Amino acid sequence: MSLSLGAIVMSQLVGYARTSTTDQKAGLEAQLRDLKAAGCEKIFHEELSALATKRPELERVLDWVREGDTLIVTKPDRLARSTADLLAIAKQLETEGVTLRILSMNVDTATPTGKLMLTILGGIAAFERDLMLERQREGIAKAKSEGKYKGRAPTARAKGDEVKRLKAEGLTADAIAERLNIGRASVFRILRDAAA
């Protein structure tokens, strides 16, 4: 039986390493060493905070990997900002037929145990979020009952008199918004309410 070269799909082990600052050279070197030891043929790396809005090398690696490939990272915090972010990246990879391996946790989504571990992480993340929201609601209720919670200060509405005065002086909504440092929509809302 002969196979055509076009029918053979070569899977790759692809690594991703990240440090928060350029001062963490040793940490980056350790990640690169561990990724090479794990058999990574191609490694993407960057020196950038996980909180950065853009992580170009992460975007490149997610674009690079193909069905059958395995993305390997040393620790979950090197890949994701949070558990929710980790789960979103894992879901994206799964959709594309790419498995995820996290060396420090011995998680490999190619195995049922690895998938279970990520599912458990997802449950824990949802549980933590629910607890946080419940504590927040309880704190707000307690503060309200003690008369300490007034809610968010209405910044634009507090400037209603100034908005009306500036409009009477002939300023445009854009000029008023800029001068008072409020949104243009807030200016229109205040003027509309005043006219009603």
Side-chain angles (χ1 to χ4, degrees):
M1 178 172 100
S2 65
L3 292 172
S4 71
L5 289 177
I8 298 174
V9 176
M10 299 298 293
S11 62
Q12 284 191 318
L13 299 177
V14 181
Y16 173 72
R18 184 189 58 76
T19 56
S20 298
T21 67
T22 55
D23 296 335
Q24 298 175 336
K25 291 285 185 200
L28 181 60
E29 288 171 9
Q31 289 178 66
L32 296 174
R33 179 197 64 224
D34 292 348
L35 292 171
K36 286 176 187 169
C40 292
E41 299 138 29
K42 180 149 184 77
I43 300 174
F44 295 79
H45 62 88
E46 57 194 334
E47 297 170 8
L48 190 64
S49 168
L51 300 177
T53 54
K54 295 280 187 188
R55 293 179 282 168
E57 289 302 300
L58 177 59
E59 291 174 17
R60 281 188 61 220
V61 74
L62 293 176
D63 189 50
W64 173 271
V65 290
R66 298 287 179 257
E67 184 174 354
D69 288 350
T70 300
L71 176 61
I72 303 175
V73 294
T74 58
K75 296 178 182 176
D77 66 331
R78 300 300 86 200
L79 178 64
R81 297 178 172 98
S82 64
T83 305
D85 190 30
L86 175 64
L87 294 170
I89 291 169
K91 184 67 176 170
Q92 178 184 346
L93 292 169
E94 180 185 5
T95 301
E96 296 171 9
V98 176
T99 58
L100 173 63
R101 190 181 307 162
I102 305 170
L103 299 177
S104 68
M105 298 172 66
N106 201 24
V107 168
D108 185 343
T109 61
T111 68
T113 304
K115 288 180 181 175
L116 174 63
M117 287 292 292
L118 276 182
T119 302
I120 290 170
L121 282 174
I124 291 169
F127 176 69
E128 287 175 343
R129 173 127 178 91
D130 289 346
L131 283 178
M132 186 266 307
L133 290 173
E134 183 178 335
R135 285 191 301 268
Q136 183 182 34
R137 283 190 297 270
E138 288 171 355
I140 290 171
K142 183 177 184 241
K144 282 182 177 179
S145 71
E146 294 172 357
K148 296 177 181 175
Y149 181 82
K150 308 290 188 232
R152 187 174 72 100
T155 54
R157 294 212 185 261
K159 298 179 181 181
D161 290 340
E162 291 177 78
V163 169
K164 291 181 259 183
R165 181 181 55 77
L166 292 172
K167 182 63 178 170
E169 291 176 9
L171 271 69
T172 66
D174 289 331
I176 296 169
E178 187 175 328
R179 182 175 292 182
L180 298 179
N181 197 26
I182 61 176
R184 187 171 177 259
S186 296
V187 172
F188 284 116
R189 190 177 314 110
I190 291 167
L191 295 174
R192 184 188 66 232
D193 290 349

